[in-house]
């Protein structure tokens, strides 16, 4: 719905690339003032220019932020307040991931992912939450993955961190509902973003084909398709949804049960 976010201010962490950029673009196109935040200006600056093309240049800012550092997160919140006066939507999308067998995961590898995903989501939520509590309204959307509840061999760090974020989502939803703050999680399905390819998640056509085969709907998704659903969860249409997780993965997490065995048996 055009202009449904008119007058609202949204922060998207990791908003310079992949899904984060698509969500920031979508919110801006529908009227929101947008703040994109991540570590690298080489990601943020081109994304800011792209977003400015679908809205007005003064409706978007980029704020260099490492979400692992609470002082930098406080700066992000201060900059947002100074420029736009309020914070209506926080999307915790920043993440890092790489595939590795658990027995080969180093302490630093574990920390790298858990600190971005779990600590970063907490720092952003708790600091932005202070402002939302003062306002008496707000919406926090945490981007997770279905392996937050299924687990996932090969990404124990990310699965553990996303599971923590899911628990945080439900906890804050219950605590902050009476302040008018909604907190939800969104678990997108397999998206062939540059990051997913680079981190050996679906780096080859063969790997992508294997992923597709396991998805009941038979396809992967796009960041644009996922951004529409994320926008719905942040919109007034979702005003009675809190503490929930929306999954959009083509049925992937349900698994194939006995299908492979039956197909094998029938040749
Ligand atoms: P992506 O492009 O790598 O997005 C991650 C973003 O996080 C980047 O923009 C990165 O920017 C930012 N970031 C990393 N460390 C940060 C830090 N310390 N502080 C601030 N920002 C940081 O990956 P994506 O594929 O779009 O994934 C987006 C979200 O969807 C993630 O939460 C991911 O777990 C989730 N997801 C993805 C898939 C998939 O198939 N791709 C499936 C399920 C869930 P900088 O490098 O500039 O900091």
């Amino acid at each position: 719905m055009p202009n449904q976010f008119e007058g609202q201010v949204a922060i998207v962490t990791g908003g310079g690339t992949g899904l984060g950029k698509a969500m920031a673009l979508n919110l801006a196109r529908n009227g929101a003032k947008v703040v994109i935040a991540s570590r690298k200006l080489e990601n943020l600056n081109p994304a800011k220019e792209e977003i400015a093309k679908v809205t007005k240049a003064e409706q978007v800012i980029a704020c260099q932020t490492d979400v692992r550092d609470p002082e930098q997160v406080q700066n992000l919140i201060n900059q947002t307040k100074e420029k736009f006066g309020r914070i209506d939507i926080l999307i915790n999308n920043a993440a890092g991931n790489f595939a590795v067998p658990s027995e080969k995961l180093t302490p630093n590898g574990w920390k790298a992912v858990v600190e971005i995903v779990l600590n970063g989501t907490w720092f952003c939520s708790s600091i932005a939450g202070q402002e939302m509590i003062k306002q008496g309204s707000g919406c926090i959307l945490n981007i997770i993955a279905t392996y937050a509840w299924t687990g996932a061999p090969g990404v124990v760090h990310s699965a553990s961190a996303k599971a923590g974020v899911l628990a945080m989502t439900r906890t804050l939803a219950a605590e902050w509902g009476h302040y008018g703050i909604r907190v939800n999680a969104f678990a997108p399905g397999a998206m062939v973003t540059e990051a997913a390819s680079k981190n050996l998640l679906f780096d080859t056509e063969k790997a992508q084909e294997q992923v597709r085969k396991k998805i009941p709907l038979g396809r992967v998704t796009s960041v644009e398709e996922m951004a529409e659903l994320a926008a719905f969860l942040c919109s007034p249409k979702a005003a009675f949804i809190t503490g929930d997780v929306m999954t959009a993965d083509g049925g992937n997490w349900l698994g194939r049960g006995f299908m492979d065995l039956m197909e094998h048996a029938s040749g």
Side-chain angles (χ1 to χ4, degrees):
M1 198 193 295
N3 301 327
Q4 66 176 326
F5 294 107
E6 196 78 54
Q8 296 208 25
V9 178
I11 297 174
V12 182
T13 69
T17 64
L19 177 62
K21 184 173 79 176
M23 292 188 294
L25 267 165
N26 187 298
L27 291 170
R29 202 177 282 119
N30 289 294
K33 294 169 185 148
V34 169
V35 182
I36 52 172
S38 79
R39 296 163 304 174
K40 297 180 195 147
L41 288 176
E42 69 258 33
N43 287 334
L44 290 175
N45 287 337
K48 183 182 156 193
E49 277 176 30
E50 207 178 320
I51 295 166
K53 286 187 192 145
V54 304
T55 177
K56 297 181 192 124
E58 64 272 19
Q59 301 255 90
V60 52
I61 58 171
C63 185
Q64 193 171 23
T65 311
D66 187 330
V67 296
R68 294 171 295 185
D69 177 355
E71 281 181 17
Q72 291 190 40
V73 174
Q74 185 65 64
N75 175 58
L76 164 68
I77 302 308
N78 294 348
Q79 298 249 335
T80 305
K81 287 266 304 186
E82 264 167 43
K83 173 77 179 166
F84 295 133
R86 53 185 295 114
I87 303 162
D88 299 289
I89 297 166
L90 165 69
I91 303 187
N92 287 306
N93 164 80
N97 198 8
F98 58 94
V100 60
S102 296
E103 69 276 19
K104 293 198 172 146
L105 178 61
T106 63
N108 278 343
W110 168 269
K111 275 206 267 180
V113 171
V114 172
E115 284 181 1
I116 304 169
V117 173
L118 185 57
N119 296 5
T121 299
W122 169 245
F123 294 143
C124 292
S125 303
S126 58
I127 297 171
Q130 299 291 338
E131 295 303 324
M132 292 176 174
I133 288 170
K134 282 187 226 152
Q135 280 170 197
S137 66
C139 166
I140 297 175
L141 184 63
N142 296 324
I143 307 303
I144 60 165
T146 55
Y147 53 60
W149 60 91
T150 62
V155 289
V156 67
H157 41 10
S158 180
S160 305
K162 297 284 193 189
V165 172
L166 181 55
M168 191 191 309
T169 303
R170 292 181 172 138
T171 304
L172 292 181
E175 280 192 35
W176 290 355
H178 69 108
Y179 294 123
I181 300 171
R182 297 189 298 114
V183 189
N184 288 297
F186 176 47
M191 299 171 285
V192 186
T193 59
E194 204 181 308
S197 307
K198 212 165 55 194
N199 296 332
L200 302 180
L201 299 174
F202 339 103
D203 54 335
T204 60
E205 187 47 45
K206 197 171 157 214
Q208 289 175 29
E209 185 50 36
Q210 272 178 357
V211 172
R212 268 194 288 273
K213 269 211 240 131
K214 289 191 185 138
I215 301 176
L217 290 182
R219 66 173 176 89
V220 294
T221 182
S222 67
V223 291
E224 290 78 16
E225 184 177 23
M226 295 298 95
E228 290 283 344
L229 294 172
F232 163 74
L233 285 171
C234 297
S235 76
K237 285 189 177 167
F240 207 49
I241 301 178
T242 198
D244 204 5
V245 52
M246 178 196 273
T247 302
D249 75 338
N252 193 16
W253 83 272
L254 301 171
R256 288 185 40 85
F258 290 88
M259 297 292 283
D260 290 333
L261 279 179
M262 287 190 296
E263 278 169 20
H264 184 69
S266 65

